[in-house]
Amino acid sequence: MTPHPSLPTTESAVAAMRVIAAEYRRPMTVTDDIGADRTSRRTSAPLFSVTDPDGSLPHEAFVELGGSPAISVRLFPEDDAEITLEGVVFHDVPRDHVPPFLTSVYSGLAFVKGRFFPPGYKLHVPLPGDETYEERVPGVSLTPWLSGRVR
């Protein structure tokens, strides 16, 4: 896994994701929302206002990657992202961690661990540098992709 440079903008993160999608031969669709009146976290923006009070133009993107596993990424203007992997939602992932997260998943490093008590499963996605994201898998049944990664 190669390290990814700092991603200062939503557009740079989308460009990095395009490279990964091409490398792993995954189709990718991007929906952009640009302007304070269009981004999801700017609900308090004044009517017809497209810039933030500091004059900046916020940019949010929603990315869907095709194939298995099912992955979608919402990139927020505040330098973080929400990644949904096979129905498991990872909140507040730093924008810089999105490319290594995807590379980890596509290279087969992600895994699921189950517990008898309390019952349930957790999806683990390890990143370079001893960082691992883990989230509880909702429900009691696993998708075929998740089932294939149980340890």
Side-chain angles (χ1 to χ4, degrees), residues 5-143:
S6 176
L7 303 170
T9 66
T10 298
E11 191 56 40
S12 62
V14 170
M17 292 173 65
R18 285 187 198 284
V19 169
I20 293 168
E23 181 180 340
Y24 289 95
R25 296 185 178 142
R26 306 290 172 154
M28 181 173 140
T29 59
V30 180
T31 305
D32 293 296
D33 288 321
I34 300 173
D37 60 337
R38 303 270 318 235
T39 58
S40 64
R41 292 185 179 170
R42 302 291 201 284
T43 56
S44 63
L47 195 59
F48 305 115
S49 149
V50 293
T51 61
D52 281 342
D54 66 356
S56 65
L57 192 63
H59 179 193
E60 181 175 300
F62 180 73
V63 178
E64 289 182 291
L65 295 150
S68 181
I71 300 178
S72 65
V73 179
R74 181 169 298 279
L75 296 162
F76 298 106
E78 293 86 9
D79 300 334
D80 68 326
E82 177 184 275
I83 301 173
T84 304
L85 169 58
E86 287 290 313
V88 180
V89 181
F90 292 83
H91 298 280
D92 301 322
V93 176
R95 183 172 27 217
D96 290 353
H97 292 189
V98 172
F101 186 102
L102 296 175
T103 302
S104 180
V105 169
Y106 288 136
S107 63
L109 297 176
F111 62 94
V112 175
K113 275 195 165 184
R115 299 183 78 175
F116 182 72
F117 190 79
Y121 293 99
K122 280 192 175 182
L123 175 57
H124 300 259
V125 181
L127 272 57
D130 291 335
E131 178 140 17
T132 300
Y133 286 94
E134 63 179 59
E135 286 292 336
R136 181 170 290 284
V137 177
V140 291
S141 63
L142 299 175
T143 66

Side-chain angles (χ1 to χ4, degrees), residues 133 145 151:
Y133 286 94
W145 187 86
R151 288 189 184 171

